[in-house]
Each structure stands twice: as C-alpha cells, then as structure tokens.
Amino acid sequence: MSTAVSSLARSAAAPATRRGRFRYHRLLFHVTATLVAALFLAPLVWVVLASFRTPAESTQPPLPPWPTEGFSISSYERLENFGQSVLHYSGNSLFVAVGTSALTILVAILAGYGFSRYRFPFKGFAFVLILSTMMIPFQSILTPLFLLLAKMGLQNTLIGLVFIYSTLQLPFSVFMMRNAFDAVPKEIEEAARMDGVRGVRMLVQVMGPLVLPGVVTVGLFAFLNAWNEFLAALVLLTDQSKFTLPVLMTAVRYGRYGSVDWGAVQAGVTLMMIPCMILFLILQRSYIRGLTAGAVK
Amino acid sequence: MSDGIVAGADAPPPKKRRRRRHSQWTGLIYVLPALALVTVFFIVPLCMTVWMSLHKWPLMGLPRFIGLDNYERLLFDKSFWSSLWFTVQYTVVVTIALLGFAMALALIVQGQGRAVSAYRTIYFLPVVTGFASAALLWVWLSNVDTGLFSPLAQDLGLTEGRVNILANFTPAFWSVIVMVVWKMAGFFMVILMSGLQSIPADYQEAARIDGAKWLQRFRYITMPLIRKPFALALILCVSGSMLAFDQFYIILSGGPQNKTVTAVYKIFNESFVSFRLGYGAALSMVLLVILLVLSVLQLTLLSDRKDK
C-alpha cells in the first residue's frame, strides 16, 4: 500500500518532466532501432544494387553502392553463360524445393492426423522415433547416405535430395501438424461423419481447410530449407548439370581461370536470396508461428 | 504411393472381427510414410555409420573390417582434435555474440506498433537467406580488390593501404562471426521475443512500483521468466554452431593456414575429398556423441535451475 501511495505522489509531483523524458527516450529508441535496421538491410540492398552494374564497374570497389554507369543486366548474362544456363540451375533448385515441400506436406499431414486422432500400438515409440531425428545431426550420417543413395540408384539425382530434405523436415513438420489437428474440435469431425464423410475425404475436405495454416508453415519451412541447403547438395550432386544454385555459385565463386567474376557472384546471390525474401514477406505470419511454436509451448 | 495405402485403409472390412483389428492399426497406416522415410533415410544410415566406422572403407574396392582401429587412429589425429577445438572456440564466441545481440534486438522489437513490426521484419530478413548466399555475399564484401571492408578499414584509418582481411586468422575469424551474427540474430531474436511477450505486464509494473531499476528488473524478472525460450535458443545455437560448415567452406576454404577447418569440414575432407569413408564415419561418431552429450547436459542444467 505504501508503495502505491509513493508512486502516486511521484507521478503527481513531476508529470511534465516525466513526459518529456519519455519522449526523449522514444526518440532515442527509434533512432537506434533505425540505425540497426539500416545495418541489417545494407548488405542485402548492396548486393542487389551491385548486381546491376556494368561489367567495367563490377570490378570496381563497391562505393557508392548503386550503379553509377547506368543500369545493366550483363552480370546476369555472364552468369547465364556459366555451365548450362542459370535458368537450368534455378530449375533444379526449384524442383528440389517444391518437391521437398510437397512430399513433406503430404507425409506430415498423414502422420499428424494419425498421431492426433488414432490410438495404435507403438504410437509413443513411433512419435519419439520421428522426433529423435532432431537430436542427431544429419551431417554425421552423410557418408552412409552417399553410399545408400548410390545403392538405390538415387545418387546424383534431385529426387534423392528431395527424400533426404523431406526426412530432415519431418520432426518439425509432424509435430506442427499433430498440434494443428489437435486444435480442431472433435465435434466437427463427428458432425461430418454423421453426414457420411469418411477417410480421405474427411481429411481433405473437412480437416484440410482447418489445418491450412499449419500446412502453409510446414511447406514454407520445407521450401526455404531445401532451397538454401548446401552441404548435402555439395556432397551428393557430382554431375554439374544437376547442381542446385548454392552449389553452382561456389563453382562460380572459385572462378574458371583463377579470376573471379564478382558481378556474376552478385547476380547469383541476388537470384538465391530474392525468392526467399519474397516468400517470407508474404508468409511472415506462418514463419514466425513456426519459429515460436517450440519456444512458447 | 501413400494415397494407395490410405485408400486401402478405408476399404470396408469383410468381417466384424477384422474390423476391430483393422481400426486398431489404422493410425499406424497414416504414420507409415513418415516412419518409412525416417527408417530409410535416417535409421539405416545411422546404423551404417556405426558399421562403417569399424571398417577401412575406400570409395573403390572392398571395405575391410578393422575393429576399433579408426578410433585408435583418431585419438592421435592432431588435425581432428584441432578442428574440434576450433569448432568449440567458434561455438563459444558465436553463441555469446549471437545470443547477446539477439537479446538486445528482442528488447527492441517486443513492443507493439507499426515501426516496431517493421524493425522486426528487417532484423529477420537475413535469416531467410541461406548460409551459402550469405557466405557468398560476405566473400564479395571481404574481397580485397572489389570488396567493401578493405577500403572501409582504410578510410577509417585502421589499416594503411589495402588489406586482405581473409588472409590472416584473426580478422578472417571475426569477419565470419560478424556474418553469422548478421544472418542469424533475427532467428534467436524471435525465439527470445516470444518469451518476453509471454511475461505478464503486471510483473514488470509491480517491480517498477517497488522501485526496481531496469537492470534489476531484467536480472530478476525477465531472465528467470524467459529461461525456457532462452534454453531453447542456447541449445539451437550451440548445436548449430558445432555443425558449422557452409560459411567456413565458402568464405575461407579452411584457410588461412588450415586454421579454420571445423569438425564437419574435417569429416567432409576425410570422407569426400580423401575418400576415407570408414575414418570419416568414425569421426562422425565422435561428433555425434559430443553433440548428444551437450544437448542432454544443457537440457538438464537449464531445467534443474528452473525447478528451484
């Protein structure tokens, strides 16, 4: 009680200076936050701007950050001439990323539904088994994966990568989907069952729309992780025509004749980053939900 | 493929008795595709790693069983232990830098409002770019001829003339740290922010009324209450950093003087450059055990403290 009184007395004594200080603090806060934001954005903006410089200018130091000798897409054209066309490699990356998303979504919906709605033998064990893959780094099983894919005829194929990336996504995705199904009231299912909806139709037509946010989150994570993954792609893809963008770009980075085409590197980095950023900006909410799902629980 | 399995599950069973058995297993059928993927692409290779680590396993030719020879060899493999030591050093430095920075960012973006949510988005943006893209971007910025850092250091009077910051260990190491903090801080920021936002506003208010200073409130209210998300961030950061590869491979290629070869990089070299697959598997086993122990250790340490 005494504290309440003293705080009342304090706020009554000096309302004006307090408000003034508050404003000053707010200004300081926004100035700092904006400066930090500029630091975070600078490299991204920089590389995108630099990728549009003329060939002569791309061998110059990067100050000022914008193209001064006019706008040019020659960096992209030079990248186009590296190996097969860059569209081909983007296609590879896109195939792997979309394939991973599709397979992950399909498998995670089924598993999430199974774990949420059914009781079956070894259920706990199966769930722990899937989650436990998170505890063991895939980097430590890369060597046998290499041999295993060779045995299965999947070595040096994009499909092989899709399987591996999907497996890596499973602990997160199955967990996410199980929670999504758990959040759907049982009454909705029962009502639909009364109307004669069963099995796959129940899953697709009734449950599907209700767990869509979870599906989007799972798909987004799968897409971004597959699009950006580097080590497995580097190890498992030996044929240059199969390279995904990150693997291709390391080849560009080391240069063909000892000299590195920095313009092409900038263009490639831009090409790799822009789709991720656009996807994130559109689906921000889904991404953050996925990230915080583990933290808040 | 899995469509077929599910459709089979819905086929009307001929007998009532079958039906009960059937429904008992229906859930397993839904889970089966996931279990199949995990088994084929995770459990099997995991077992193979153990098996391979007991063999001399060249890429061509037949593997030969050699028992624990690989493990004996790695005990005396200086380059492995130094790569592990480097990885630990990197992990300690990057974890402190990242979580400290992420905490500061989380305090900035925990509030409401348009500007704040814009900051949140901007701080997070580098996270969605891949490590490969971020590392390539950094290679360009660090490049001595056409990069930014070299002329910047010169203009700031830090160095005389152009300097290749990737040629010496200390600047190269810190350059990678800066890159990783830039790329990953937003990620940990969101985890910590979600913790901050879950603290009821009354707690802070009550402490403020009791006359607690900002630092005291941070130490005695904020930190204990976000222990769980903080533990998550710590575990993710440590285990992620112990597995660092992309940035060191792309930016430094292990140089200067092979001082920046991480543990995963060493395994990559043994397995896929020298094609000593068995030895690579043995190194993987060591790393795997270290990471498991670390995770368990962190989990118990942080949950114990919370109970008190």
Side-chain angles (χ1 to χ4, degrees):
Chain A
M1 206 182 116
S2 67
T3 50
V5 171
S6 75
S7 92
L8 267 179
R10 222 177 347 164
S11 55
T17 53
R18 222 177 158 190
R19 184 163 298 165
R21 210 204 282 160
F22 184 64
R23 248 194 214 146
Y24 171 73
H25 275 296
R26 265 184 77 82
L27 185 70
L28 197 70
F29 169 82
H30 283 294
V31 169
T32 317
T34 308
L35 273 176
V36 177
L39 277 179
F40 269 82
L41 267 185
L44 299 173
V45 175
W46 216 304
V47 75
V48 175
L49 285 175
S51 71
F52 292 111
R53 292 170 158 193
T54 60
E57 208 187 345
S58 65
T59 59
Q60 307 273 309
L63 285 166
W66 49 85
T68 51
E69 292 165 25
F71 191 84
S72 154
I73 55 161
S74 79
S75 292
Y76 292 87
E77 285 165 0
R78 294 201 305 283
L79 188 63
E80 176 76 13
N81 295 328
F82 195 95
Q84 299 185 18
S85 103
V86 74
L87 278 178
H88 173 85
Y89 299 109
S90 308
N92 287 351
S93 273
L94 200 66
F95 176 86
V96 172
V98 171
T100 304
S101 304
L103 184 62
T104 306
I105 287 174
L106 180 71
V107 172
I109 285 182
L110 292 175
Y113 187 60
F115 279 124
S116 171
R117 285 297 192 263
Y118 290 93
R119 295 174 54 141
F120 53 89
F122 311 116
K123 183 178 169 181
F125 175 74
F127 194 65
V128 169
L129 190 73
I130 292 174
L131 281 198
S132 71
T133 58
M134 212 156 34
M135 293 285 281
I136 290 164
F138 91 96
Q139 286 88 341
S140 65
I141 58 167
L142 208 53
T143 322
L145 271 179
F146 179 77
L147 296 177
L148 197 70
L149 287 189
K151 277 255 162 62
M152 298 168 76
L154 288 173
Q155 193 208 2
N156 200 18
T157 63
L158 300 173
I159 298 275
L161 276 190
V162 166
F163 279 122
I164 290 172
Y165 292 163
S166 301
T167 309
L168 291 180
Q169 284 306 122
L170 278 188
F172 164 76
S173 308
V174 171
F175 188 70
M176 192 81 201
M177 286 319 299
R178 191 197 64 167
N179 288 352
F181 280 112
D182 277 349
V184 177
K186 284 225 165 64
E187 288 77 16
I188 292 180
E189 235 176 320
E190 275 156 20
R193 191 163 289 137
M194 298 285 266
D195 292 341
V197 184
R198 297 247 183 282
V200 181
R201 259 189 71 210
M202 169 82 80
L203 192 54
V204 174
Q205 292 182 345
V206 179
M207 301 295 268
L210 296 170
V211 294
L212 196 63
V215 173
V216 173
T217 305
V218 164
L220 179 65
F221 272 80
F223 184 95
L224 289 179
N225 286 345
W227 177 270
N228 286 326
E229 206 283 335
F230 176 64
L231 177 57
L234 177 73
V235 166
L236 300 170
L237 302 173
T238 43
D239 189 355
Q240 211 207 29
S241 71
K242 296 282 167 49
F243 282 1
T244 54
L245 281 176
V247 183
L248 170 82
M249 288 314 297
T250 44
V252 175
R253 173 249 188 280
Y254 287 113
R256 265 178 296 189
Y257 308 107
S259 72
V260 184
D261 184 344
W262 292 110
V265 170
Q266 293 148 14
V269 170
T270 305
L271 221 53
M272 284 193 277
M273 291 188 327
I274 295 291
C276 302
M277 295 203 270
I278 291 175
L279 261 182
F280 168 69
L281 290 175
I282 297 171
L283 300 171
Q284 247 190 81
R285 216 164 274 228
S286 305
Y287 200 106
I288 302 295
R289 179 181 39 237
L291 259 189
T292 50
V296 184
K297 191 188 64 71
Chain B
M1 186 186 90
S2 32
D3 266 341
I5 295 171
V6 177
D10 301 317
K15 282 182 198 162
K16 211 170 184 185
R17 210 149 178 244
R18 285 274 305 273
R19 188 188 180 108
R20 200 176 296 137
R21 255 181 68 111
H22 190 91
S23 64
Q24 194 195 358
W25 292 94
T26 312
L28 194 62
I29 291 168
Y30 279 107
V31 174
L32 217 53
L35 282 179
L37 271 184
V38 166
T39 308
V40 176
F41 294 102
F42 191 79
I43 304 294
V44 170
L46 188 62
C47 299
M48 276 174 79
T49 309
V50 181
W51 179 242
M52 286 176 77
S53 73
L54 303 173
H55 287 72
K56 189 183 174 81
W57 201 302
L59 187 67
M60 306 292 173
L62 288 175
R64 191 161 57 83
F65 185 82
I66 53 169
L68 293 173
D69 281 11
N70 280 327
Y71 292 95
E72 200 184 315
R73 178 168 153 205
L74 73 81
L75 279 181
F76 302 102
D77 186 348
K78 264 195 183 151
S79 66
F80 172 62
W81 293 111
S82 70
S83 72
L84 205 57
W85 176 232
F86 172 71
T87 313
V88 170
Q89 286 174 305
Y90 164 75
T91 300
V92 170
V93 173
V94 90
T95 301
I96 294 171
L98 251 180
L99 293 189
F101 211 79
M103 193 68 215
L105 293 182
L107 290 170
I108 293 180
V109 301
Q110 62 170 322
Q112 305 287 326
R114 253 190 204 182
V116 171
S117 76
Y119 299 144
R120 206 178 293 158
T121 304
I122 291 172
Y123 300 161
F124 195 82
L125 217 44
V127 176
V128 293
T129 69
F131 254 112
S133 337
L136 281 163
L137 169 59
W138 221 251
V139 172
W140 165 57
L141 288 175
S142 318
N143 170 255
V144 63
D145 298 318
T146 62
L148 167 73
F149 297 145
S150 168
L152 200 67
Q154 202 178 341
D155 288 348
L156 291 173
L158 294 174
T159 55
E160 288 186 21
R162 294 268 173 90
V163 63
N164 184 356
I165 62 163
L166 300 184
N168 290 302
F169 176 79
T170 310
F173 177 74
W174 284 102
S175 148
V176 171
I177 298 283
V178 171
M179 188 282 275
V180 175
V181 169
W182 170 73
K183 185 195 162 341
M184 288 305 290
F187 179 86
F188 296 106
M189 169 192 82
V190 169
I191 293 177
L192 295 174
M193 178 195 79
S194 73
L196 289 177
Q197 287 176 340
S198 67
I199 300 175
D202 321 4
Y203 288 20
Q204 300 280 9
E205 199 47 47
R208 205 196 314 260
I209 288 170
D210 284 345
K213 294 276 184 301
W214 186 87
L215 207 65
Q216 285 173 312
R217 274 183 280 134
F218 184 74
R219 167 77 184 78
Y220 293 105
I221 295 179
T222 311
M223 282 314 280
L225 284 174
I226 62 159
R227 175 149 279 144
K228 214 171 167 187
F230 192 82
L232 180 77
L234 185 68
I235 289 169
L236 288 178
C237 190
V238 167
S239 49
S241 310
M242 286 295 290
L243 295 168
F245 171 80
D246 300 10
Q247 60 271 43
F248 289 103
Y249 178 84
I250 293 175
I251 301 180
L252 301 172
S253 325
Q257 299 100 42
N258 275 337
K259 280 182 191 156
T260 60
V261 175
T262 60
V264 171
Y265 200 158
K266 172 73 181 164
I267 294 169
F268 169 84
N269 276 338
E270 288 296 338
S271 299
F272 303 108
V273 178
S274 312
F275 293 113
R276 287 189 279 262
L277 303 186
Y279 189 53
L283 299 183
S284 301
M285 289 302 298
V286 175
L287 184 65
L288 197 157
V289 170
I290 292 174
L291 275 164
L292 270 181
V293 170
L294 264 180
S295 301
V296 173
L297 208 71
Q298 290 182 81
L299 274 174
T300 47
L301 267 180
L302 284 151
S303 57
D304 270 353
R305 269 222 237 142
K306 200 190 155 213
D307 291 339
K308 276 176 195 167

